[in-house]
């Protein structure tokens, strides 16, 4: 037994603490000797979380035996455990299982026990004890980000990553925009800058420029100062903070997502506790928008539902409503009193024109009603890894916007306290300087145009090969992706035989393609479609 039990003093502290807890537990007091198990559960939880099972078990056992023989019998009977005479290491597992301790419960318990208790039990578990997380299963890789991991492992010289939506140069290399490099040089040279914490809401100048970028400067909501903007961790973080805000302050409404949608939407909203529903969006026959289905579903959703909309360049379909269709959608959403939540991850990437890509959002912001906007600078400024974005909530009045901001601050303080400074400083420098801004806009147009070129080249290459099927959707779809219509099996063939990596739903990131790789991709598609591989 050497090493199983720590020093007598430590053991005494634990037992004393345990006994004190047992006495002070309100339920324990109320039903003294009556078999209340709560304080025992709390201690078993602490035991499970502090890597000192032996100490706690002995304390728990001792209490169970000495404090009340009746309690011990009850425990033994209700959990089919023998508390006396069972090896310590086996009992650890039995206790954890018997009380079904979840991680939230553990967390709460530990914080309530306080530091003194935790420091009393810091011994490493004996080598023979069962690993706490032995039953944890290996989670599957993310359907999008996992594609890059698989690609990285492939040693083929012709491998091609068309999975994640990230822009590549003609040479297939990641691209740092020239305007961004210049902004970084300006920032680096400025000795007056420091690395202090930003406020919870982020860089004020960044927030102002961000909302002005997505809403036009004379938008009534901006003029009337009724937009609360909060710097967040890119598009994903903005969506998640917005979702947490809705869960706290709009809790009974379900959120309706387009079918299909960006895969991570289905992770973000339930993670915040929102109930998730879907509305029809894509018609796989016509490879276009199912506007009738969409309108029907929005009409039949309960009034006041949240409706997630892609601001432009719908991911993964590349199918956006036409301006007149947006107008119908807007009217239905307003008539039904729904709350629109715009995901704007691709402003400038759809058409190359920032205001054209913001037209839908602007029409909603212009009608006086509420909306949420999640903005990302990952794609349009190439700041993927800087994690820079913003959540804007358009409100009915300045007073309400202020109140909402105060509530969002509480959410963020608990989650990550305040956002990072570097990416937001880059965006602020680029957007705030006339010349840099123009240079950025021209680079953005360049990226959008290169993608459009790739569409044309891929289309031509398939026509040249006489690949069966109608491929006109490659030309017609908008934004970074082609929703090719290739099925899972065909994608698997392309990966296996041609080292072409893409998501299994047939989505091709056109931004990852270059003139030199188009023929290879066309060969792969041709082989997958004709079964000629
Ligand atoms: N919304 C949409 C529609 C979207 O496609 C992405 C990213 C994001 C938000 C979030 O981007 P962020 O980097 O958090 O600003 N999409 C690409 C990358 C990813 O899946 O994370 C993608 O679809 O490949």
């Amino acid at each position: 037994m050497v090493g199983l039990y720590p020093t007598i003093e430590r053991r005494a502290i634990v037992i004393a603490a345990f006994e004190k807890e047992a006495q002070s537990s309100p339920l324990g007091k109320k039903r003294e000797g009556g078999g209340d198990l709560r304080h025992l559960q709390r201690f078993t939880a602490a035991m499970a979380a502090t890597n000192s099972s032996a100490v706690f078990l002995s304390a728990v056992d001792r209490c169970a035996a000495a404090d009340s023989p009746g309690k011990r019998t009850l425990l033994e009977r209700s959990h089919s455990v023998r508390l006396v005479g069972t090896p310590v290491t086996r009992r650890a597992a039995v206790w954890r299982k018997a009380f079904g301790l979840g991680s939230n419960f553990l967390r709460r318990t530990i914080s309530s026990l306080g530091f003194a208790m935790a420091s009393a039990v810091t011994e490493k578990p004996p080598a023979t004890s069962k690993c706490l997380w032995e039953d944890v299963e290996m989670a599957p890789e993310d359907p999008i980000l996992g594609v890059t991991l698989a690609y990285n492992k492939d040693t083929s010289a012709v491998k091609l990553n068309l999975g994640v939506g990230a822009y590549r140069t003609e040479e297939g290399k990641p691209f740092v925009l020239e305007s961004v490099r210049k902004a970084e040089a300006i920032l680096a040279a400025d000795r007056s800058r420091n690395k202090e914490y930003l406020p919870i809401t982020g860089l004020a100048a960044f927030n102002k420029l961000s909302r002005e970028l997505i809403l036009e400067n004379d938008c009534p909501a901006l003029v009337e100062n009724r937009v609360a903007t909060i710097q967040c961790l890119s598009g994903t973080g903005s969506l998640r903070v917005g979702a947490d805000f809705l869960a706290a302050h709009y809790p009974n409404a379900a959120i309706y997502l387009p079918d299909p949608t960006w895969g991570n939407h289905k992770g973000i909203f339930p993670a915040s506790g929102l109930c998730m529903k879907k509305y029809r969006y894509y018609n796989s026959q016509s490879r276009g928008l199912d506007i009738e289905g969409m309108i029907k579903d929005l009409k039949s959703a309960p009034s006041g539902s949240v409706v997630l909309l892609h601001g432009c360049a719908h991911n993964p379909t590349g199918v956006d409503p036409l301006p007149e269709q947006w107008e119908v959608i807007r009217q239905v959403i307003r008539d039904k009193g729904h709350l629109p939540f715009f995901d704007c991850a691709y402003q400038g990437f759809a058409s190359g024109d920032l205001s054209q890509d913001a037209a839908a959002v602007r029409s909603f912001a212009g009608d006086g009603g509420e909306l949420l906007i999640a903005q990302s600078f990952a794609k349009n400024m190439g700041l993927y890894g800087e994690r820079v974005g913003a959540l804007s909530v358009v409100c009915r009045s300045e007073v309400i916007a202020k109140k909402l901001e105060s509530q969002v601050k509480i959410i963020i303080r608990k989650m990550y306290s305040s956002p990072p400074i570097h990416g937001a400083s880059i965006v602020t420098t680029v957007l705030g300087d006339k010349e840099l801004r123009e240079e950025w806009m021209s680079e953005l147009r360049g990226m959008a145009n290169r993608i459009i070129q790739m569409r044309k080249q891929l289309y031509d290459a398939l026509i040249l090969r006489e690949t069966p099927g109608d491929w006109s959707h490659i030309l017609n779809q908008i934004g970074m992706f082609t929703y090719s219509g290739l099925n899972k099996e065909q994608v698997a063939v392309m990966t296996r035989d041609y080292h072409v990596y893409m998501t299994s739903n047939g989505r091709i990131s056109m931004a990852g393609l270059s003139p030199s790789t188009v023929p290879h991709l066309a060969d792969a598609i041709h082989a997958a479609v004709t079964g000629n591989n």
Side-chain angles (χ1 to χ4, degrees), residues 205-217 222 229 344 347-348 353-359 361-362 373 375-377 380-381 392 427 430-432 437 440-441 444:
F206 165 83
N207 288 335
K208 180 171 184 293
L209 288 162
S210 298
R211 64 175 169 256
E212 286 172 359
L213 187 72
I214 192 79
L215 306 172
E216 69 251 292
N217 284 352
L222 286 185
T229 308
C344 300
Q347 189 186 1
D353 182 301
L354 286 159
S355 48
Q356 193 175 321
D357 288 358
V361 183
R362 288 175 184 185
I373 306 166
Q375 261 174 293
S376 167
F377 289 94
N380 57 12
M381 228 178 255
S392 286
V427 174
V430 171
L431 295 183
R437 190 186 178 106
W440 168 58
M441 281 161 62
L444 184 54

Side-chain angles (χ1 to χ4, degrees), residues 454-464 470-475 518:
M454 288 304 101
R455 292 186 177 283
K456 195 159 166 13
Q457 289 187 20
L458 180 61
Y459 175 80
D460 289 347
L462 291 171
I463 298 300
L464 188 74
D470 175 6
W471 299 100
S472 54
H473 57 287
I474 296 181
L475 297 174
V518 164

Side-chain angles (χ1 to χ4, degrees), residues 10-20 55 58-60 62-63:
R10 281 199 172 172
R11 194 168 159 210
I13 296 171
V14 171
I15 291 167
F18 177 78
E19 279 165 357
K20 195 166 152 230
V55 187
S58 92
V60 170
R62 209 182 114 124
C63 181

Side-chain angles (χ1 to χ4, degrees), residues 159-226:
K159 68 177 178 176
L160 191 53
N161 186 4
L162 305 177
V164 71
Y167 185 84
R168 298 283 175 263
T169 61
E170 298 248 310
E171 296 74 41
K173 296 273 184 292
F175 180 45
V176 181
L177 275 65
E178 208 45 51
S179 49
V180 166
R181 286 200 192 280
K182 286 183 186 164
E184 283 187 308
I186 293 172
L187 293 171
D190 183 352
R191 301 289 299 183
S192 71
R193 291 178 50 77
N194 58 48
K195 304 282 186 192
E196 290 291 289
Y197 290 128
L198 283 182
I200 299 174
T201 49
L203 203 59
F206 165 83
N207 288 335
K208 180 171 184 293
L209 288 162
S210 298
R211 64 175 169 256
E212 286 172 359
L213 187 72
I214 192 79
L215 306 172
E216 69 251 292
N217 284 352
D218 60 352
C219 166
L222 286 185
V223 175
E224 290 154 22
N225 231 354
R226 51 183 173 83

Side-chain angles (χ1 to χ4, degrees), residues 144 164-165 234-236 262 315 343 345-346 376 378-379 387 481 507:
I144 297 175
V164 71
S234 214
T236 307
W262 178 48
N315 178 6
D343 181 351
Y346 298 95
S376 167
K379 325 277 170 161
R387 312 310 293 145
F481 305 107
R507 188 189 83 164

Side-chain angles (χ1 to χ4, degrees), residues 142-145 162-166 233-239 261-265 268 308-316 343-346 374-379 383-385 387-389 480-481 503 507 509:
D142 179 80
I144 297 175
L145 304 182
L162 305 177
V164 71
L233 306 182
S234 214
T236 307
S238 308
L239 288 164
T261 192
W262 178 48
N264 208 19
H265 284 149
I268 292 169
L308 185 110
L309 300 154
H310 294 228
C312 68
H314 182 273
N315 178 6
D343 181 351
C344 300
Y346 298 95
Q375 261 174 293
S376 167
F377 289 94
K379 325 277 170 161
L383 294 175
Y384 307 91
R387 312 310 293 145
V388 54
M480 262 194 174
F481 305 107
T503 52
R507 188 189 83 164
S509 174

